[in-house]
Short mmCIF file of all heavy atoms in Angstrom, two decimals:
data_model
loop_
_atom_site.label_atom_id
_atom_site.label_comp_id
_atom_site.label_asym_id
_atom_site.label_seq_id
_atom_site.Cartn_x
_atom_site.Cartn_y
_atom_site.Cartn_z
N SER A 8 0.86 -1.15 -0.02
CA SER A 8 -0.05 -0.02 -0.01
C SER A 8 0.89 1.28 0.02
O SER A 8 2.09 1.16 0.20
CB SER A 8 -0.92 -0.02 1.24
OG SER A 8 -0.15 0.19 2.40
N PHE A 9 0.22 2.38 -0.16
CA PHE A 9 0.90 3.66 -0.09
C PHE A 9 1.64 3.83 1.21
O PHE A 9 2.85 4.19 1.22
CB PHE A 9 -0.08 4.79 -0.36
CG PHE A 9 0.44 6.18 -0.15
CD1 PHE A 9 1.24 6.76 -1.14
CD2 PHE A 9 0.23 6.90 0.98
CE1 PHE A 9 1.77 8.06 -0.96
CE2 PHE A 9 0.75 8.14 1.19
CZ PHE A 9 1.48 8.75 0.22
N GLY A 10 0.94 3.61 2.32
CA GLY A 10 1.56 3.76 3.62
C GLY A 10 2.73 2.84 3.80
O GLY A 10 3.77 3.25 4.37
N GLN A 11 2.65 1.59 3.39
CA GLN A 11 3.76 0.65 3.51
C GLN A 11 4.99 1.10 2.70
O GLN A 11 6.14 1.00 3.14
CB GLN A 11 3.29 -0.74 3.11
CG GLN A 11 2.37 -1.40 4.14
CD GLN A 11 1.88 -2.71 3.56
OE1 GLN A 11 1.39 -2.81 2.49
NE2 GLN A 11 2.06 -3.75 4.42
N THR A 12 4.73 1.63 1.50
CA THR A 12 5.87 2.04 0.68
C THR A 12 6.50 3.28 1.27
O THR A 12 7.75 3.43 1.20
CB THR A 12 5.34 2.34 -0.80
OG1 THR A 12 4.50 1.29 -1.21
CG2 THR A 12 6.56 2.52 -1.71
N VAL A 13 5.71 4.22 1.79
CA VAL A 13 6.33 5.37 2.42
C VAL A 13 7.14 4.98 3.63
O VAL A 13 8.28 5.47 3.86
CB VAL A 13 5.28 6.43 2.85
CG1 VAL A 13 5.86 7.55 3.67
CG2 VAL A 13 4.53 6.98 1.62
N LEU A 14 6.64 4.00 4.42
CA LEU A 14 7.44 3.54 5.58
C LEU A 14 8.73 2.87 5.07
O LEU A 14 9.78 3.02 5.74
CB LEU A 14 6.58 2.48 6.30
CG LEU A 14 7.29 1.85 7.54
CD1 LEU A 14 7.71 2.92 8.53
CD2 LEU A 14 6.32 0.87 8.26
N ALA A 15 8.69 2.14 3.97
CA ALA A 15 9.85 1.54 3.38
C ALA A 15 10.89 2.59 3.05
O ALA A 15 12.10 2.46 3.31
CB ALA A 15 9.60 0.73 2.22
N MET A 16 10.45 3.75 2.52
CA MET A 16 11.37 4.82 2.14
C MET A 16 11.95 5.51 3.39
O MET A 16 13.05 5.96 3.42
CB MET A 16 10.61 5.84 1.26
CG MET A 16 10.36 5.31 -0.12
SD MET A 16 9.84 6.57 -1.29
CE MET A 16 8.17 6.84 -0.72
N VAL A 17 11.14 5.53 4.50
CA VAL A 17 11.65 6.03 5.73
C VAL A 17 12.80 5.13 6.27
O VAL A 17 13.87 5.65 6.66
CB VAL A 17 10.53 6.11 6.82
CG1 VAL A 17 11.12 6.38 8.21
CG2 VAL A 17 9.46 7.14 6.43
N HIS A 18 12.63 3.86 6.20
CA HIS A 18 13.71 2.94 6.61
C HIS A 18 14.88 3.09 5.70
O HIS A 18 16.01 3.16 6.15
CB HIS A 18 13.18 1.46 6.48
CG HIS A 18 12.21 1.11 7.53
ND1 HIS A 18 12.36 1.40 8.87
CD2 HIS A 18 11.00 0.43 7.44
CE1 HIS A 18 11.29 0.94 9.53
NE2 HIS A 18 10.54 0.35 8.75
N ASN A 19 14.61 3.26 4.40
CA ASN A 19 15.68 3.41 3.46
C ASN A 19 16.51 4.70 3.74
O ASN A 19 17.69 4.74 3.65
CB ASN A 19 15.07 3.53 2.02
CG ASN A 19 16.09 3.37 0.97
OD1 ASN A 19 17.25 3.52 1.10
ND2 ASN A 19 15.58 3.05 -0.26
N ALA A 20 15.79 5.79 4.14
CA ALA A 20 16.43 7.06 4.42
C ALA A 20 17.32 6.99 5.71
O ALA A 20 18.14 7.89 5.88
CB ALA A 20 15.41 8.16 4.57
N LEU A 21 17.11 5.97 6.50
CA LEU A 21 17.95 5.85 7.70
C LEU A 21 19.20 5.04 7.48
O LEU A 21 19.81 4.51 8.44
CB LEU A 21 17.07 5.12 8.83
CG LEU A 21 15.87 5.92 9.25
CD1 LEU A 21 15.06 5.13 10.27
CD2 LEU A 21 16.33 7.26 10.01
N GLY A 22 19.61 4.97 6.25
CA GLY A 22 20.92 4.29 6.00
C GLY A 22 21.29 4.03 4.57
O GLY A 22 22.26 3.37 4.24
N PHE A 23 20.53 4.59 3.59
CA PHE A 23 20.84 4.29 2.21
C PHE A 23 20.58 5.49 1.34
O PHE A 23 20.32 5.47 0.21
CB PHE A 23 19.86 3.17 1.77
CG PHE A 23 20.38 2.25 0.68
CD1 PHE A 23 21.53 1.44 0.88
CD2 PHE A 23 19.74 2.22 -0.55
CE1 PHE A 23 21.97 0.62 -0.11
CE2 PHE A 23 20.31 1.37 -1.55
CZ PHE A 23 21.43 0.56 -1.27
N THR A 24 20.80 6.69 1.91
CA THR A 24 20.37 7.95 1.25
C THR A 24 21.21 8.32 0.07
O THR A 24 20.78 9.05 -0.79
CB THR A 24 20.42 9.08 2.24
OG1 THR A 24 21.70 9.14 2.89
CG2 THR A 24 19.33 8.88 3.29
N SER A 25 22.45 7.78 -0.02
CA SER A 25 23.33 8.30 -1.09
C SER A 25 23.25 7.38 -2.34
O SER A 25 23.90 7.65 -3.32
CB SER A 25 24.82 8.31 -0.60
OG SER A 25 25.21 6.98 -0.18
N LYS A 26 22.38 6.41 -2.34
CA LYS A 26 22.21 5.48 -3.47
C LYS A 26 21.10 5.93 -4.40
O LYS A 26 20.07 6.48 -3.92
CB LYS A 26 21.95 4.03 -2.99
CG LYS A 26 22.96 3.56 -1.98
CD LYS A 26 24.41 3.47 -2.55
CE LYS A 26 25.37 2.91 -1.55
NZ LYS A 26 26.74 2.85 -2.04
N PRO A 27 21.18 5.65 -5.66
CA PRO A 27 20.10 5.91 -6.60
C PRO A 27 18.86 5.05 -6.33
O PRO A 27 18.93 4.03 -5.70
CB PRO A 27 20.69 5.59 -7.99
CG PRO A 27 21.79 4.65 -7.74
CD PRO A 27 22.35 5.04 -6.38
N LEU A 28 17.72 5.50 -6.77
CA LEU A 28 16.42 4.88 -6.52
C LEU A 28 16.43 3.40 -6.94
O LEU A 28 15.85 2.55 -6.23
CB LEU A 28 15.25 5.64 -7.16
CG LEU A 28 13.90 5.58 -6.51
CD1 LEU A 28 13.91 6.05 -5.10
CD2 LEU A 28 12.91 6.38 -7.40
N TYR A 29 17.01 3.12 -8.07
CA TYR A 29 16.94 1.72 -8.58
C TYR A 29 17.69 0.73 -7.71
O TYR A 29 17.55 -0.48 -7.90
CB TYR A 29 17.36 1.65 -10.05
CG TYR A 29 18.87 1.91 -10.26
CD1 TYR A 29 19.81 0.86 -10.19
CD2 TYR A 29 19.30 3.17 -10.62
CE1 TYR A 29 21.13 1.08 -10.38
CE2 TYR A 29 20.65 3.41 -10.84
CZ TYR A 29 21.53 2.38 -10.72
OH TYR A 29 22.90 2.64 -10.95
N MET A 30 18.56 1.25 -6.82
CA MET A 30 19.29 0.37 -5.93
C MET A 30 18.64 0.02 -4.66
O MET A 30 19.15 -0.69 -3.81
CB MET A 30 20.67 1.06 -5.61
CG MET A 30 21.63 1.20 -6.74
SD MET A 30 22.28 -0.44 -7.24
CE MET A 30 23.33 -0.76 -5.81
N SER A 31 17.41 0.57 -4.47
CA SER A 31 16.69 0.39 -3.19
C SER A 31 16.51 -1.05 -2.83
O SER A 31 16.59 -1.47 -1.67
CB SER A 31 15.36 1.11 -3.21
OG SER A 31 15.60 2.53 -3.25
N PRO A 32 16.09 -1.99 -3.84
CA PRO A 32 15.97 -3.44 -3.44
C PRO A 32 17.24 -3.97 -2.76
O PRO A 32 17.15 -4.91 -1.91
CB PRO A 32 15.67 -4.10 -4.74
CG PRO A 32 15.07 -2.96 -5.56
CD PRO A 32 15.73 -1.71 -5.21
N GLU A 33 18.41 -3.48 -3.14
CA GLU A 33 19.63 -3.97 -2.46
C GLU A 33 19.62 -3.66 -0.98
O GLU A 33 20.16 -4.52 -0.15
CB GLU A 33 20.84 -3.30 -3.08
CG GLU A 33 21.16 -3.70 -4.53
CD GLU A 33 21.52 -5.19 -4.65
OE1 GLU A 33 22.29 -5.65 -3.73
OE2 GLU A 33 21.10 -5.85 -5.60
N PHE A 34 19.08 -2.51 -0.56
CA PHE A 34 19.07 -2.21 0.83
C PHE A 34 18.18 -3.21 1.65
O PHE A 34 18.43 -3.44 2.78
CB PHE A 34 18.53 -0.75 0.97
CG PHE A 34 18.31 -0.37 2.40
CD1 PHE A 34 19.40 0.02 3.27
CD2 PHE A 34 16.99 -0.29 2.98
CE1 PHE A 34 19.14 0.42 4.49
CE2 PHE A 34 16.83 0.12 4.27
CZ PHE A 34 17.89 0.37 5.05
N PHE A 35 17.13 -3.71 1.00
CA PHE A 35 16.21 -4.51 1.69
C PHE A 35 16.54 -6.04 1.62
O PHE A 35 15.77 -6.89 2.10
CB PHE A 35 14.74 -4.28 1.17
CG PHE A 35 14.26 -2.95 1.61
CD1 PHE A 35 14.19 -1.91 0.69
CD2 PHE A 35 13.75 -2.70 2.89
CE1 PHE A 35 13.77 -0.65 1.04
CE2 PHE A 35 13.29 -1.48 3.25
CZ PHE A 35 13.29 -0.40 2.35
N LYS A 36 17.65 -6.36 0.96
CA LYS A 36 18.04 -7.79 0.95
C LYS A 36 18.43 -8.23 2.31
O LYS A 36 18.99 -7.51 3.11
CB LYS A 36 19.23 -7.93 0.00
CG LYS A 36 18.91 -7.97 -1.48
CD LYS A 36 20.05 -8.37 -2.32
CE LYS A 36 19.73 -8.50 -3.82
NZ LYS A 36 20.82 -8.82 -4.66
N ARG A 37 17.98 -9.48 2.69
CA ARG A 37 18.23 -10.05 3.94
C ARG A 37 17.62 -9.24 5.12
O ARG A 37 18.12 -9.27 6.29
CB ARG A 37 19.73 -10.28 4.19
CG ARG A 37 20.39 -11.07 3.09
CD ARG A 37 21.83 -11.45 3.43
NE ARG A 37 21.89 -12.40 4.48
CZ ARG A 37 21.66 -13.72 4.40
NH1 ARG A 37 21.42 -14.20 3.21
NH2 ARG A 37 21.73 -14.51 5.42
N ARG A 38 16.65 -8.42 4.82
CA ARG A 38 15.88 -7.76 5.86
C ARG A 38 14.55 -8.51 6.08
O ARG A 38 13.98 -9.06 5.17
CB ARG A 38 15.54 -6.33 5.43
CG ARG A 38 16.76 -5.55 5.01
CD ARG A 38 17.48 -4.84 6.15
NE ARG A 38 18.57 -4.09 5.67
CZ ARG A 38 19.44 -3.42 6.45
NH1 ARG A 38 19.24 -3.44 7.77
NH2 ARG A 38 20.41 -2.73 5.96
N ASP A 39 14.03 -8.39 7.27
CA ASP A 39 12.72 -8.99 7.62
C ASP A 39 11.67 -8.01 7.24
O ASP A 39 11.20 -7.15 7.99
CB ASP A 39 12.68 -9.26 9.17
CG ASP A 39 11.42 -10.07 9.53
OD1 ASP A 39 10.50 -10.14 8.70
OD2 ASP A 39 11.39 -10.64 10.57
N LEU A 40 11.16 -8.11 5.96
CA LEU A 40 10.22 -7.12 5.43
C LEU A 40 8.89 -7.22 6.15
O LEU A 40 8.18 -6.25 6.22
CB LEU A 40 10.07 -7.38 3.94
CG LEU A 40 11.32 -7.09 3.07
CD1 LEU A 40 10.99 -7.23 1.55
CD2 LEU A 40 11.80 -5.61 3.33
N LYS A 41 8.49 -8.43 6.51
CA LYS A 41 7.22 -8.56 7.23
C LYS A 41 7.25 -7.77 8.58
O LYS A 41 6.24 -7.17 8.97
CB LYS A 41 6.85 -9.99 7.50
CG LYS A 41 5.49 -10.25 8.07
CD LYS A 41 5.14 -11.68 8.19
CE LYS A 41 3.72 -11.84 8.75
NZ LYS A 41 3.37 -13.28 8.88
N PHE A 42 8.40 -7.86 9.26
CA PHE A 42 8.49 -7.16 10.50
C PHE A 42 8.56 -5.63 10.27
O PHE A 42 7.95 -4.84 11.01
CB PHE A 42 9.73 -7.61 11.27
CG PHE A 42 9.93 -6.84 12.59
CD1 PHE A 42 9.35 -7.37 13.72
CD2 PHE A 42 10.72 -5.74 12.67
CE1 PHE A 42 9.50 -6.68 14.97
CE2 PHE A 42 10.98 -5.10 13.83
CZ PHE A 42 10.33 -5.55 14.98
N LEU A 43 9.30 -5.25 9.23
CA LEU A 43 9.48 -3.81 8.99
C LEU A 43 8.24 -3.15 8.39
O LEU A 43 7.92 -1.96 8.73
CB LEU A 43 10.66 -3.57 8.07
CG LEU A 43 12.02 -3.99 8.56
CD1 LEU A 43 13.08 -3.74 7.51
CD2 LEU A 43 12.39 -3.20 9.85
N LEU A 44 7.49 -3.85 7.54
CA LEU A 44 6.38 -3.21 6.78
C LEU A 44 5.04 -3.85 7.07
O LEU A 44 4.06 -3.25 6.72
CB LEU A 44 6.68 -3.28 5.31
CG LEU A 44 8.05 -2.77 4.80
CD1 LEU A 44 8.20 -2.99 3.29
CD2 LEU A 44 8.20 -1.29 5.21
N GLY A 45 5.00 -5.03 7.64
CA GLY A 45 3.75 -5.79 7.78
C GLY A 45 3.44 -6.58 6.58
O GLY A 45 4.18 -6.64 5.56
N SER A 46 2.27 -7.28 6.60
CA SER A 46 1.88 -8.14 5.51
C SER A 46 1.22 -7.29 4.41
O SER A 46 0.62 -6.26 4.71
CB SER A 46 0.91 -9.26 5.99
OG SER A 46 1.58 -10.05 6.99
N SER A 47 1.23 -7.86 3.21
CA SER A 47 0.51 -7.20 2.06
C SER A 47 -1.00 -7.10 2.42
O SER A 47 -1.60 -8.13 2.85
CB SER A 47 0.71 -7.94 0.80
OG SER A 47 -0.17 -7.48 -0.24
N LYS A 48 -1.62 -5.95 2.24
CA LYS A 48 -3.05 -5.80 2.53
C LYS A 48 -3.96 -6.42 1.52
O LYS A 48 -5.00 -6.89 1.79
CB LYS A 48 -3.38 -4.31 2.65
CG LYS A 48 -2.72 -3.60 3.86
CD LYS A 48 -3.26 -2.24 4.08
CE LYS A 48 -2.73 -1.65 5.40
NZ LYS A 48 -3.35 -0.30 5.71
#
């Protein structure tokens, strides 16, 4: 959802700010996405 994606960008901004947008999936590799964002609505 919109809220989950914004939350993902907040997490991203806490440690990946110097990378281009297309590199964002690299930041979330080996992360517990269910814990960080919740389940898909």
Side-chain angles (χ1 to χ4, degrees):
S8 69
F9 172 77
Q11 288 176 308
T12 311
V13 174
L14 179 57
M16 290 192 287
V17 171
H18 290 314
N19 196 341
L21 294 175
F23 210 64
T24 53
S25 62
K26 305 298 183 186
L28 206 60
Y29 69 85
M30 291 290 291
S31 294
E33 291 294 322
F34 174 75
F35 290 102
K36 282 187 176 179
R37 305 188 69 79
R38 307 272 182 182
D39 189 341
L40 294 182
K41 185 175 182 180
F42 180 85
L43 295 179
L44 307 178
S46 301
S47 169
K48 292 190 174 184

